[in-house]
Amino acid sequence: MTTSPLFPPGLLAEHQIEALAAAGAVVSTTPAAPDQHLVQPASLDLRLGTRAWRVRASFLPGPNRTVEACIASQPSHEMDLSSPVVLETGTVTIVELDETLNLPASISAATNPKSSTGRIDVFTRVITDQAREFDFVEAGYAGPLYLEVSPRSFPVRVKAGSRLSQIRFRAGQSRLDDAAHLALHRRDTLVSGSTPSIAGGVALSVDLGGFDRGLIGYRAKRHTGLIDVDTVGLYDLHDFWEPLPLRSRKELVLDPGEFYILASKEAVHVPADHAAEMVPFDPLVGEFRVHYAGFFDPGFGASEAGGTGARAVLEVRSRDVPFILEDGQIIGRLLYERLSERPKSLYGAASGSNYQAQGLKLSKHFRPD
């Protein structure tokens, strides 16, 4: 545990994350490349290190074990990510991240896949030593970080330095309750349309009414080539995706085992002094997972950052049974959190963002159709 500057309650903004790192709470073994923007308006990108292990099954260490002890207790194969490695679908790989933490007692953290990771159906979650849950780092944690990586639809090529996940740092309590969500919506219009449903977050509905070229979404193909996670605009989307055309009934049957890219009907707005996160699975709205990569940075969808009209892209996978989605059906909820301080920059092209002002949009790896 380290001492650090004292921060007001809330999620830490980029300049506060930089101060936290300067105080020794975040340590990286490899300097950032010139073209890497690691610090985002309210998060830090995490990079893969050189050590990785193909394991038989996922796990949680629990309060008395380290991650490496868990790896040693089951069949595994160690890999060196100094050179690119292909991770096949259906496999589970544990990667030691380049960043380690030495958090002060007042700071906790949460992690989530990056947007581009979720949109190619790569399931990731961060594990710490003595972890009782995934994607959560207890206040005062000192130790390494590991990333569980499991490609679901497409094999992927990764290497040391690849960025699949991101971390947010939190001082005290920052999440809004329902009354605060409603007050913020009245102040800043969090989602377009009529007064939203607010119950454990702000409801979003699915748009099956058609986007450009009459499409409602995409379904991942089976038996495709691999995707290099560090590329931009390299792949023909038709080699990996089946476009889903608008139909007269404006509905879509989600088949178990299939992966879909859809979009929200509402335009989403994240004010500059807040951030948001999508709840990945809500049993109240259906038996499907709606989002892998749930972080929305300050300024997403904001007019001052060139984001007017931005939709939430939904990474959808049905669970055990086929499920019918209808146009306008509630499909997920956004939870907003206060920032400790306003960030110096907002989500947008200036900060290297790929999805500002998006509609129905695949990951950055694919060329526009």
Side-chain angles (χ1 to χ4, degrees), residues 40-366:
Q40 308 301 325
S43 63
L44 172 70
D45 287 355
L46 298 172
R47 294 171 294 167
L48 301 186
T50 57
R51 294 201 304 163
W53 299 264
R54 178 73 49 80
V55 295
R56 181 177 181 274
S58 177
F59 59 84
L60 270 174
N64 300 314
R65 294 192 299 172
T66 65
V67 172
E68 289 205 36
C70 294
I71 294 171
S73 70
Q74 63 170 298
S76 65
H77 169 68
E78 186 166 353
M79 298 179 287
D80 183 359
L81 300 192
S82 298
S83 299
V85 171
V86 175
L87 305 182
E88 299 290 349
T89 57
T91 60
V92 179
T93 302
I94 306 298
V95 184
E96 185 176 34
L97 293 173
D98 188 78
E99 291 76 20
T100 60
L101 299 181
N102 188 21
L103 295 180
S106 60
I107 302 295
S108 63
T111 61
N112 219 284
K114 289 178 63 65
S115 294
S116 297
T117 306
R119 295 187 201 202
I120 55 172
D121 200 17
V122 177
F123 184 69
T124 72
R125 46 192 182 184
V126 167
I127 317 172
T128 67
D129 289 341
Q130 292 86 42
R132 299 172 185 263
E133 56 185 297
F134 297 106
D135 285 330
F136 176 73
V137 184
E138 293 185 351
Y141 175 77
L145 298 173
Y146 300 85
L147 188 67
E148 176 188 324
V149 185
S150 183
R152 301 293 182 87
S153 291
F154 316 121
V156 296
R157 181 189 290 125
V158 301
K159 65 180 184 298
S162 297
R163 294 175 288 168
L164 301 180
S165 188
Q166 56 195 335
I167 188 168
R168 283 180 170 176
F169 299 94
R170 183 180 291 112
Q173 298 298 317
S174 57
R175 284 189 170 173
L176 306 187
D177 59 18
D178 289 347
H181 273 105
L182 181 58
L184 184 63
H185 176 73
R186 288 171 174 166
R187 190 194 83 176
D188 286 305
T189 310
L190 302 181
V191 294
S192 60
S194 58
T195 302
S197 167
I198 296 179
V202 181
L204 292 178
S205 63
V206 65
D207 193 335
L208 300 179
F211 290 86
D212 294 342
R213 304 181 307 282
L215 298 181
I216 61 171
Y218 297 89
R219 178 166 49 214
K221 290 184 175 181
R222 298 179 180 269
H223 313 298
T224 69
L226 63 84
I227 294 174
D228 186 324
V229 300
D230 297 313
T231 60
V232 177
L234 178 63
Y235 301 103
D236 184 335
L237 69 88
H238 296 283
D239 291 335
F240 295 84
W241 299 96
E242 175 191 352
L244 300 174
L246 172 66
R247 296 183 177 181
S248 59
R249 295 187 60 158
K250 294 186 179 180
E251 67 180 27
L252 174 66
V253 177
L254 303 177
D255 289 322
E258 302 289 345
F259 180 72
Y260 302 84
I261 294 292
L262 307 173
S264 69
K265 186 171 286 290
E266 297 83 5
V268 173
H269 173 216
V270 182
D273 53 354
H274 284 74
E277 180 177 359
M278 184 171 286
V279 178
F281 174 67
D282 184 354
L284 298 179
V285 300
E287 291 296 315
F288 51 83
R289 184 184 179 101
V290 69
H291 220 277
Y292 290 170
F295 285 171
F296 290 72
D297 269 339
F300 180 87
S303 59
E304 64 266 35
T308 301
R311 311 292 184 93
V313 166
L314 309 166
E315 300 125 17
V316 181
R317 181 180 287 278
S318 189
R319 291 171 67 86
D320 299 319
V321 297
F323 189 88
I324 298 176
L325 279 182
E326 298 180 350
D327 183 50
Q329 182 173 340
I330 291 177
I331 195 171
R333 294 184 185 275
L334 284 175
L335 295 173
Y336 283 74
E337 297 189 57
R338 299 179 184 87
L339 291 184
S340 174
E341 294 178 2
R342 180 178 171 133
K344 294 180 180 179
S345 62
L346 298 179
Y347 185 90
S351 60
S353 309
N354 294 289
Y355 306 115
Q356 185 65 294
Q358 69 183 358
L360 176 67
K361 186 175 177 65
L362 295 172
S363 72
K364 66 181 181 181
H365 309 95
F366 299 98

